[in-house]
């Protein structure tokens, strides 16, 4: 039976809270940009599309985001259960990084279909919230499980509070002349996500524990099954 120290469990819980915060922070960092990109008159979309068409594109983007997220929760959940949570987390953040990269390309080149491709890729892979939530609930101390569960929404909420604040500050930065100012929040999110990917891939705190839990369960089951046999022999 594998014995895991309370300190190691606590570190893993804190790390998952940090991931939840970063994920929601980057999402809240970019959500305000959709309104600017789609409905501000200086947006590159107004050069080729009418307001009615832009509204249709915006609604389609939201629909793609929601539908892809529905499938990603099942797909990434499968990866987490049978391949490992470290690998599943890596897939989530790599997909999210690709989404941000495609959005930057779309803004720079004016090709709106790149924006949709990026959102589709990110939506089909980004399901970090259920992975972290499941891990926290499963490993939180039973005595304080309600507190640890409540902290999930706390870190998600804090991320959504600070995201738009940083976006506002980034849009005030002086224009460099190479990339449009509206790409600055995306560049900032890109750097954060790249760092998170390295952290998830090389940190031992995100090692998969499902194999250990299954091995322990299997061992206990075999012991339980063998006990009646031993008693019968005696």
């Amino acid at each position: 039976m594998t014995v895991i120290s309370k300190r190691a469990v606590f570190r893993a819980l804190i790390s998952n809270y940090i991931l939840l915060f970063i994920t929601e922070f980057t999402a809240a960092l970019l959500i305000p940009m959709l309104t600017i990109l789609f409905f501000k008159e200086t947006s590159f979309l107004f050069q080729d599309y009418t307001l009615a068409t832009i509204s249709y594109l915006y609604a389609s983007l939201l629909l793609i985001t929601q539908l892809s997220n529905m499938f990603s929760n099942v797909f990434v959940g499968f990866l987490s259960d049978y391949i490992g949570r470290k690998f599943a987390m890596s897939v989530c953040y790599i997909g999210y990084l690709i989404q941000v990269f495609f959005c930057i390309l779309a803004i720079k080149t004016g090709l709106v279909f790149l924006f949709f491709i990026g959102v589709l890729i990110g939506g089909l892979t980004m399901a970090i919230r259920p992975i972290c939530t499941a891990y926290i609930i499963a490993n939180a101390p039973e005595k304080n499980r309600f507190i640890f569960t409540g902290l999930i929404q706390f870190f998600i909420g804090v991320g959504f509070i600070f995201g738009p604040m940083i976006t506002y500050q980034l849009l005030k930065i002086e224009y460099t002349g190479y990339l449009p100012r509206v790409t600055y929040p995306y560049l900032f999110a890109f750097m954060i996500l790249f760092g998170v990917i390295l952290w998830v891939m090389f940190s031992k705190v995100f090692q998969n524990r499902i194999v250990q839990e299954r091995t322990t369960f299997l061992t206990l089951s075999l012991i339980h099954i063998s006990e009646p046999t031993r008693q019968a022999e005696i």
Side-chain angles (χ1 to χ4, degrees):
M1 183 184 298
T2 304
V3 179
I4 301 176
S5 67
K6 292 183 179 180
R7 184 177 180 181
V9 173
F10 183 74
R11 283 179 52 201
L13 291 173
I14 293 298
S15 299
N16 279 270
Y17 287 128
I18 294 174
L19 286 184
L20 284 173
F21 168 78
I22 293 174
T23 303
E24 304 306 324
F25 171 78
T26 52
L29 189 75
L30 303 180
I31 288 175
M33 299 306 304
L34 294 178
T35 305
I36 297 175
L37 290 172
F38 278 83
F39 296 110
K40 192 174 181 180
E41 294 182 356
T42 56
S43 171
F44 69 94
L45 292 173
F46 278 91
Q47 298 176 6
D48 302 314
Y49 304 99
T50 63
L51 180 60
T53 303
I54 293 174
S55 299
Y56 175 77
L57 291 174
Y58 182 74
S60 301
L61 184 70
L62 296 180
L63 178 64
I64 291 173
T65 302
Q66 295 301 320
L67 291 177
S68 58
N69 284 335
M70 289 170 55
F71 289 103
S72 68
N73 288 330
V74 178
F75 172 68
V76 178
F78 173 82
L79 290 179
S80 179
D81 289 342
Y82 293 94
I83 301 178
R85 53 190 296 268
K86 177 187 280 287
F87 181 78
M89 285 180 170
S90 300
V91 170
C92 287
Y93 283 110
I94 290 174
Y96 198 4
L97 189 74
I98 293 174
Q99 173 185 338
V100 174
F101 178 72
F102 269 80
C103 290
I104 295 173
L105 285 180
I107 297 171
K108 177 63 179 177
T109 60
L111 301 175
V112 69
F113 76 91
L114 293 177
F115 206 93
F116 280 82
I117 292 175
V119 169
L120 180 62
I121 294 173
L124 288 174
T125 56
M126 194 57 193
I128 198 68
R129 186 188 291 187
I131 295 177
C132 292
T133 300
Y135 183 88
I136 291 170
I137 294 175
N139 294 278
E142 187 173 354
K143 182 179 179 181
N144 300 315
R145 183 159 296 171
F146 286 106
I147 297 176
F148 281 91
T149 304
L151 285 174
I152 294 173
Q153 190 58 46
F154 172 79
F155 281 94
I156 290 174
V158 171
F160 265 98
I161 290 173
F162 283 98
M165 294 181 182
I166 301 301
T167 298
Y168 173 73
Q169 296 299 324
L170 291 172
L171 292 177
K172 292 170 61 178
I173 298 176
E174 185 177 354
Y175 177 54
T176 60
Y178 181 69
L179 287 174
R181 188 178 298 175
V182 290
T183 61
Y184 294 171
Y186 288 94
L187 290 172
F188 186 59
F190 186 91
M191 292 186 291
I192 293 176
L193 293 172
F194 185 77
V196 170
I197 290 173
L198 295 179
W199 181 34
V200 170
M201 294 180 65
F202 295 103
S203 175
K204 294 182 180 181
V205 76
F206 299 109
Q207 290 289 351
N208 183 37
R209 287 184 51 196
I210 295 175
V211 175
Q212 298 175 357
E213 292 169 359
R214 287 181 176 175
T215 303
T216 302
F217 176 77
L218 179 61
T219 304
L220 292 176
S221 299
L222 291 175
I223 293 174
H224 179 72
I225 293 172
S226 62
E227 282 181 354
T229 306
R230 293 179 181 176
Q231 293 176 0
E233 291 176 354
I234 294 174

